[in-house]
Amino acid sequence: MSPTARPVDDRIDDDAKLRELGYHPVLIRRMGPFGNFAISFSVVSVLSGCMTLYGFGLVTGGPAVMLWGWVLVGLMVMFVGAGLAEVTSAYPTSGALYYMADQLGGRRWGWYTGWLNLLGLLGTLAGIDYGAAMFTGALLNLQWGLEPTPGVVMVIFVCILVLHATLNLFGVRLVSVLNSISVWWHFAGVGVIVASLAFIPSEHRPVSFVFGEFVNHTGWSSPLYVVLIGLLLTQYTFTGYDASAHLSEETTDAEVSAARGIVRAVGWSWVAGFVLLAGVTFAIQDYAGTQNSATGVPPAQIFLDALGLTGAKLLLLVVIIAQLFCGNAEVAATSRMVFAFSRDGALPFSALWRRVSARTGTPTAAVLLTVVVAALLTLPALYSKAAYGAVTAIAVIGITPAYAIPVFLRLRYKERFRQGKWNLGRWGVPVGWTAVGWVAFVTVLFCLPQTNPVTVESFNYAPVALLCVLAAASLWWAVAGRGSYTTPTFSSGSGDRELAEMSEEIV
């Protein structure tokens, strides 16, 4: 794989495919296959998801649930990713999930899929950058003794959002270069962290602890319930791989590159994340001290106990830079979703958000809207300790169903689906149904309360956010969406789509 762009002729073929799907090319194709893989790999970012929710994992099941949960959930996400990749190959547009749903199931399917996808992307961005702010606060605590209060972390969080907005405004070429660097930084970072924790500390936890120790500090008495809740760490980490689909209009050989980007990002993240979690868990010196670290970040305490102050600061810097790469990639993916959804008239003030800079080929207003909404979504963290867990759950229950809806519609309306260049062949149906079943399960699971007793501070706001978005989507559909939202018709399936829309109106 190469980060460089492909020949001009391939771009012409990609643009012809986009016109066939009904869109006039306005974004610039400057991203090669490696760059497309890199953006999803950067968004998944095991150095972001695994590290920021590591403290959550210590409480909800402990090492055993973190390690075995990673194996199980990673396997199921491979099914989801493969099913989504197959549909992405058939519909390589920036709208991605909602456009797929629209073409296969009709306008209303596309409408609600788009709103769920947008909620999940914004929740993922908020979680990534707030996690980076937490780790930055921990580094500042070790370096200068600055107390990482919620207010301090929020200020750092806003500064990171501003940085990512600025970088994205320079255009997709810079984003692609940064994502390519990010891939190697993540692999090298995992290697450095695991090697340091393996060879420098004089003591390590036994294998029986890493793969068998169960810890329940949630307040719930059911071990099974705690195990299931503990799967959030892995499921949250494995979000954002739809970035390859959202950047497909800026990718050469998009029908193949975007699909492969999704599958490869999930696969490599699965391997790297397992190595990282195992390496960090073997190095725990004081379990209780790690949970109650003054830095506010349990992995920072593990680094500190195992390597000393200088080593801890260096490894924290490795993690923070990876998280910054991750957040920057997510801003790119989310802003393209905002751009595409506005292009089809789905958002209020769509005419503003779909504007593209003639100089950079970037949807500038969409980038700015993305970071502002992510900041607003995270404001509850100023007064609620459970807010970060809720934001991550919002990401999961928003974006994960959006992954499965196009796969479900591809199975339900098989006669409407036209395979792309990358497909699963006869395995498409069993892989698809496995993916849909898993997504239905985790969507219900992560709406449940995570700690007991349930108070204002510990309440899981994810289902509230989900209901609010669905209610807002329904209201906006009735007020304006029914008339303003429209997507072009894919020429090879126009008749089937018209029948789907007629059946919707009858219902």
Side-chain angles (χ1 to χ4, degrees):
M1 292 181 291
S2 170
T4 58
R6 294 171 65 88
V8 175
D9 287 346
D10 287 346
R11 297 177 188 170
I12 294 174
D13 290 341
D14 287 320
D15 288 346
K17 175 65 176 181
L18 187 60
R19 288 189 178 94
E20 181 186 349
L21 295 173
Y23 292 113
H24 176 71
V26 294
L27 301 176
I28 302 174
R29 293 190 186 274
R30 291 176 174 170
M31 183 174 286
F34 184 84
N36 186 276
F37 150 76
I39 192 166
S40 281
F41 183 79
S42 297
V43 172
V44 173
S45 181
V46 295
L47 286 172
S48 177
C50 292
M51 294 292 92
T52 52
L53 277 184
Y54 193 84
F56 177 86
L58 291 175
V59 174
T60 53
V65 174
M66 282 194 281
L67 270 298
W68 292 114
W70 187 267
V71 174
L72 170 64
V73 175
L75 174 63
M76 301 311 294
V77 172
M78 282 297 296
F79 283 98
V80 180
L84 180 61
E86 183 178 48
V87 189
T88 296
S89 180
Y91 305 101
T93 71
S94 293
L97 312 182
Y98 84 83
Y99 179 82
M100 303 172 197
D102 183 287
Q103 296 298 304
L104 290 169
R107 293 175 68 218
R108 200 167 297 184
W109 277 105
W111 176 265
Y112 284 102
T113 302
W115 281 98
L116 285 173
N117 191 195
L118 188 57
L119 169 68
L121 287 168
L122 290 167
T124 300
L125 173 59
I128 291 167
D129 277 4
Y130 193 80
M134 292 168 61
F135 272 74
T136 303
L139 179 60
L140 296 177
N141 175 264
L142 294 180
Q143 181 65 35
W144 292 294
L146 179 67
E147 183 181 357
T149 63
V152 169
V153 173
M154 185 61 67
V155 170
I156 299 171
F157 169 63
V158 171
C159 291
I160 291 173
L161 285 174
V162 171
L163 170 65
H164 286 155
T166 303
L167 291 173
N168 271 268
L169 292 178
F170 280 102
V172 73
R173 186 184 294 277
L174 176 60
V175 172
S176 183
V177 169
L178 291 174
N179 288 334
S180 298
I181 297 172
S182 171
V183 172
W184 305 116
W185 185 272
H186 274 80
F187 280 127
V190 170
V192 168
I193 291 171
V194 172
S196 299
L197 295 177
F199 294 110
I200 296 178
S202 57
E203 296 184 6
H204 292 88
R205 296 282 181 164
V207 173
S208 59
F209 173 86
V210 174
F211 293 96
E213 183 73 12
F214 177 79
V215 178
N216 176 15
H217 293 159
T218 65
W220 298 106
S221 59
S222 170
L224 177 60
Y225 185 86
V226 174
V227 168
L228 295 176
I229 295 300
L231 298 180
L232 175 61
L233 181 151
T234 305
Q235 190 65 55
Y236 166 69
T237 302
F238 281 109
T239 55
Y241 47 86
D242 58 317
S244 289
H246 290 295
L247 272 292
S248 59
E249 289 186 33
E250 295 158 90
T251 301
T252 55
D253 194 19
E255 286 186 73
V256 176
S257 298
R260 286 179 177 171
I262 291 171
V263 175
R264 289 172 176 172
V266 173
W268 282 110
S269 297
W270 191 18
V271 174
F274 181 82
V275 173
L276 177 64
L277 284 175
V280 171
T281 306
F282 270 114
I284 294 176
Q285 306 294 307
D286 179 359
Y287 200 95
T290 298
Q291 285 181 278
N292 302 309
S293 174
T295 66
V297 177
Q301 192 63 47
I302 295 174
F303 299 159
L304 188 62
D305 293 342
L307 307 176
L309 182 60
T310 301
K313 289 189 289 188
L314 290 174
L315 292 193
L316 275 176
L317 190 60
V318 169
V319 174
I320 291 167
I321 293 174
Q323 292 171 337
L324 294 178
F325 278 130
C326 174
N328 190 63
E330 182 66 5
V331 169
T334 307
S335 62
R336 270 49 173 193
M337 170 60 192
V338 172
F339 157 77
F341 217 27
S342 300
R343 178 175 59 182
D344 291 329
L347 296 179
F349 310 107
S350 286
L352 173 61
W353 315 126
R354 63 174 174 247
R355 292 179 183 173
V356 175
S357 168
R359 183 176 61 86
T360 64
T362 298
T364 304
V367 169
L368 298 177
L369 178 65
T370 293
V371 297
V372 169
V373 175
L376 295 175
L377 192 62
T378 319
L379 284 179
L382 286 171
Y383 60 84
S384 172
K385 294 181 179 179
Y388 183 71
V391 167
T392 57
I394 286 170
V396 170
I397 68 170
I399 206 168
T400 307
Y403 290 162
I405 291 173
V407 179
F408 168 73
L409 294 174
R410 171 254 187 272
L411 298 168
R412 182 178 177 182
Y413 302 112
K414 289 184 287 188
E415 70 283 357
R416 302 175 191 168
F417 179 68
R418 306 292 186 267
Q419 287 184 338
K421 294 179 181 178
W422 192 100
N423 61 78
L424 298 170
R426 61 190 179 90
W427 292 103
V429 173
V431 167
W433 282 119
T434 302
V436 171
W438 174 254
V439 169
F441 170 69
V442 296
T443 300
V444 174
L445 179 62
F446 296 132
C447 286
L448 302 176
Q450 299 166 357
T451 57
N452 188 41
V454 178
T455 64
V456 173
E457 288 191 354
S458 65
F459 184 71
N460 181 2
Y461 293 95
V464 176
L466 179 62
L467 291 175
C468 287
V469 167
L470 291 176
S474 298
L475 178 62
W476 189 246
W477 173 265
V479 172
R482 186 190 298 271
S484 65
Y485 168 68
T486 180
T487 59
T489 302
F490 184 15
S491 60
S492 66
S494 59
D496 291 330
R497 186 170 178 272
E498 289 171 2
L499 288 174
E501 291 179 1
M502 289 174 61
S503 65
E504 279 187 353
E505 295 302 324
I506 293 173
V507 172

